[in-house]
Amino acid sequence: MNGEDRGQANRTVSKGTVDDRAVRPAASIGAGSDLLQLDPHDAATGGLSGWLAGRLRRAIADGRLPVGSRLPPTRLLAAELRVSRGVVTEAYRRLTEDGHVVGRGRGGTTVVAAPVTAAAPAAPDTPAMPAASDASAGLFSGTPGTGIFDAVRAAGARIDLSPGVPELAAFPRGAWVRTERAVLAELPASALGYADPRGTPELRRAAADWLARNRGVRAHPDEVIVVAGTAQALGLAAQVLRADGIARVAVEDPGALGSRQHLEHWGIDTPPVPVDFRGVRVDALRATGAPAVLLTPAHQFPTGVVLDGARRRELMRWAGGDGGLVVEDDYDAEHRYDRPPVPALRSMLPERVLYAGSVSKLLAPALRTGWVLAPPALRDALVDAKRFADLGNPVLPQLVLARLMESGELERHLRLIRGRHRRRRDAMIAAIGARLPGAEVHGAAAGLHLMITFDAGFADADLADAALARGVKTQPLSWHRRRPGPPGLVLGYALNTPALIVEGIALIAEALATVRR
Amino acid sequence: MNGEDRGQANRTVSKGTVDDRAVRPAASIGAGSDLLQLDPHDAATGGLSGWLAGRLRRAIADGRLPVGSRLPPTRLLAAELRVSRGVVTEAYRRLTEDGHVVGRGRGGTTVVAAPVTAAAPAAPDTPAMPAASDASAGLFSGTPGTGIFDAVRAAGARIDLSPGVPELAAFPRGAWVRTERAVLAELPASALGYADPRGTPELRRAAADWLARNRGVRAHPDEVIVVAGTAQALGLAAQVLRADGIARVAVEDPGALGSRQHLEHWGIDTPPVPVDFRGVRVDALRATGAPAVLLTPAHQFPTGVVLDGARRRELMRWAGGDGGLVVEDDYDAEHRYDRPPVPALRSMLPERVLYAGSVSKLLAPALRTGWVLAPPALRDALVDAKRFADLGNPVLPQLVLARLMESGELERHLRLIRGRHRRRRDAMIAAIGARLPGAEVHGAAAGLHLMITFDAGFADADLADAALARGVKTQPLSWHRRRPGPPGLVLGYALNTPALIVEGIALIAEALATVRR
């Protein structure tokens, strides 16, 4: 079992042992020069070796001679092509010089590298997602499937008023690269190996400090588990809850379609609980009999309602007294304009709250970085779940982010975009007042989006489709609803300038005229 | 449901409604100046306002007054402390100037930010992992649990001969940062939002090209799914297979303990199949009746055996004719020294091979980046699994990596470390010959590790423990075995200089003398 095993893998794999379509001539062309369509009469006079090398090069490039396969012995190929053996030897020599093949003495000549000019193979037959060009016709109609957010993202639109994204143009690119350079300059090599699945100590400490400063949550860094955003947090929570015998997690109604899809993918049943102007109805939650609930207490998605004090107390009785578990999705709580911050529920009852936050709304969703504080009883199971999900988040971005948080750079960034977001929100509210006089605005005191509702009379999916046809991307409120209710839209204002927002609202008004009857 | 809801969240949460230990005084100190231990007699003469501001600042810092809570009305607190109302007003004014509280008129005065000097809260009671200091005594003995690799990683050792990691000191830090700067300079802001869960087009194309050039695999970029390393690939595969009714995946014996743990975490049963000097025994695989198998064909872990041609043909008959599914873990195939490359099984039968590769052994495990080629029938389910795992890998590292691959930088890096790895391997083999004359070396023609076995007579876990006690980290072969067999060690040579490797082998020889009887 030592080095002597070399060579053994390079024996001929004969065609026809299994389905011919499936098996490619992987390990040798054997006596199959016809397979490679070699005919010396194609060669220009006197250039037989060059011709043969070129043909073989092409066969390597297009996969007929894959890496690892062996060229036929020179004697055999020469006989088959009726050329002198020197012609073949010279062709092999040229390929060797190119670095495409390696001669192994009696081991034969083996393909080791394909030319990079290889033509691309054909696209797979079954695209896993609708093509962008199909996407704009009736995209929002019908029941949204698991790929709906990918399909909407792929749809082209000049003005993107989708909710859930901060101003991406403000991403601190310079600070990010400078910080990464500084991180790499000091990093011990061992930090590039496998790492703690719970995250780097640096980011766990920075997240604990951030939560204390900004969210009223006191957590030891050891309690923080770094995750790939709130989406992963929901998946890990669902796995841990299911293993703990919890297969039902109540959700807010209206509530985020995406979050519900995530829980349901992981086999969790999601009974709806109505939300009113004070937040989730805890009496209705109790009535579902669900042992757990997913909430967005600081700025309910999509309504923007803040869970009020009386409801918080009622919820804490449900959690503390009756043993309910709260999954707190604190997705955009750092963004607020006209009201003081609301402390996270986690600060009230750490034993019964699984807290999830992320930098998706602070910096960029593309970073796929967030954090979870598990209730103590679930912490070990959650660490196991994260380990077996991916062995932990990538290390470099964690270290960069930790420095941006500890240096105050992230707070500076937050102050910067908060001002810009406020102006954009104000522009949107003013435009709605001017162009959509029948629309009622909800939940605009915080976050990155607002909700508008209309008197009944049309399907909001039709409105979203008509707006998209005019180049404006929005989300229909009905996506996020379980019980029927008035039509509406969920509108993000962070991505666009005030001028584009005004134009977008005007286009929505045009679209509205076509769907209203 | 518009801005009028502000303030509501800040009402008093009374203590004692649920378990007192659990609920913190989160939303107001109410009439509870005693809770804050305020006694004006502590104040230096004449400095009542300064004293009160200091006490409140400390209460904010240590969490008794969390962010979002309201200070008592000035009139009430003044009465309670028997000081003039002006003293309280002045203290609140100072806190406002500091930025710790905000006055909201009749809404009261609210804590908005804690001083960063807040003392850290206590560590959680139940650490999720053994502390590093406990780690070295008997770490390798007993049945390894799910946290074993974390525990071993946390154990201190001067010479790390663990397998599975390339030379990390050679990581191209400069090229990485330069490339990231270039990527960020050209990146449209929209690329920082939510992205395609299958990965960026750039990295999918680069991976397809890489696989064609280096692994003999022809795949369209649309077939590539970017994942968080092979660990995630195994988890996603397990989920998809289980949903497809496959709950048994045979594994090699000996075979990687880590891979088996991953499959088992996801509810997959893992019947063992013996490996001999020609690779996995396909007759024994057939006998298990398992519908799928996880293999490391290019360089079997831990034995280093290459699956030979006859076995490959037999395996393809099992897969093509009998409908078996192969999960191909191509973990270190790019590293080879004394033999030509072996093409991936995927190149032979794409319909029945789920291929997984990563950059963990090419660049660094900390990048958590790899790729999967699914069989066409499983592709959509695998994309769904990746979406609901984490919405896709982080975008920036994908774009950096794609450029390093397309520019030839990664191949240059591979050539560089290949030469260094070879010298380290040679040093290790020579040292084993000199210091461990009874050890047999296996599988050293490729990869980043070799395996040594000894005549029976001791437990290799004891040897690994004794080596660790001498500052040398290894893996006992028995970890990776299901059936009994001779004791051995799995030794990685990529991380250390030849001098340290020689020293490490000498220390293993010392350790061996203590466990052999």
Short mmCIF file of all heavy atoms in Angstrom, two decimals, chain A residues 427 496-504:
data_model
loop_
_atom_site.label_atom_id
_atom_site.label_comp_id
_atom_site.label_asym_id
_atom_site.label_seq_id
_atom_site.Cartn_x
_atom_site.Cartn_y
_atom_site.Cartn_z
N ALA A 427 -38.63 60.99 1.28
CA ALA A 427 -38.99 61.19 -0.13
C ALA A 427 -40.08 60.21 -0.55
O ALA A 427 -41.01 60.57 -1.30
CB ALA A 427 -37.75 61.02 -1.01
N ASN A 496 -32.29 53.30 -3.38
CA ASN A 496 -32.39 54.28 -4.46
C ASN A 496 -32.31 55.72 -3.96
O ASN A 496 -32.67 56.03 -2.83
CB ASN A 496 -33.71 54.09 -5.21
CG ASN A 496 -33.73 52.78 -5.97
OD1 ASN A 496 -33.13 52.65 -7.02
ND2 ASN A 496 -34.40 51.78 -5.41
N THR A 497 -31.89 56.60 -4.84
CA THR A 497 -31.86 58.03 -4.53
C THR A 497 -33.29 58.55 -4.44
O THR A 497 -34.21 57.96 -5.01
CB THR A 497 -31.15 58.80 -5.65
OG1 THR A 497 -31.86 58.56 -6.87
CG2 THR A 497 -29.71 58.34 -5.81
N PRO A 498 -33.49 59.67 -3.72
CA PRO A 498 -34.83 60.25 -3.64
C PRO A 498 -35.45 60.46 -5.03
O PRO A 498 -36.65 60.17 -5.22
CB PRO A 498 -34.59 61.58 -2.92
CG PRO A 498 -33.42 61.30 -2.03
CD PRO A 498 -32.54 60.37 -2.82
N ALA A 499 -34.68 60.89 -6.01
CA ALA A 499 -35.25 61.13 -7.34
C ALA A 499 -35.79 59.84 -7.95
O ALA A 499 -36.90 59.82 -8.50
CB ALA A 499 -34.19 61.73 -8.26
N LEU A 500 -35.04 58.76 -7.82
CA LEU A 500 -35.51 57.49 -8.37
C LEU A 500 -36.72 56.97 -7.59
O LEU A 500 -37.62 56.34 -8.15
CB LEU A 500 -34.39 56.45 -8.35
CG LEU A 500 -33.42 56.50 -9.54
CD1 LEU A 500 -32.28 55.52 -9.33
CD2 LEU A 500 -34.16 56.18 -10.85
N ILE A 501 -36.73 57.22 -6.30
CA ILE A 501 -37.87 56.79 -5.48
C ILE A 501 -39.14 57.51 -5.94
O ILE A 501 -40.19 56.89 -6.12
CB ILE A 501 -37.58 57.05 -3.99
CG1 ILE A 501 -36.55 56.02 -3.48
CG2 ILE A 501 -38.86 56.97 -3.16
CD1 ILE A 501 -36.02 56.29 -2.10
N VAL A 502 -39.03 58.80 -6.16
CA VAL A 502 -40.18 59.58 -6.62
C VAL A 502 -40.66 59.04 -7.97
O VAL A 502 -41.86 58.85 -8.20
CB VAL A 502 -39.80 61.08 -6.73
CG1 VAL A 502 -40.86 61.87 -7.48
CG2 VAL A 502 -39.56 61.66 -5.33
N GLU A 503 -39.71 58.75 -8.84
CA GLU A 503 -40.08 58.20 -10.14
C GLU A 503 -40.73 56.82 -9.99
O GLU A 503 -41.72 56.50 -10.66
CB GLU A 503 -38.81 58.09 -11.00
CG GLU A 503 -39.10 57.82 -12.46
CD GLU A 503 -37.81 57.62 -13.26
OE1 GLU A 503 -36.74 58.07 -12.80
OE2 GLU A 503 -37.90 57.00 -14.34
N GLY A 504 -40.17 56.01 -9.09
CA GLY A 504 -40.72 54.67 -8.87
C GLY A 504 -42.16 54.73 -8.37
O GLY A 504 -43.02 53.97 -8.83
#
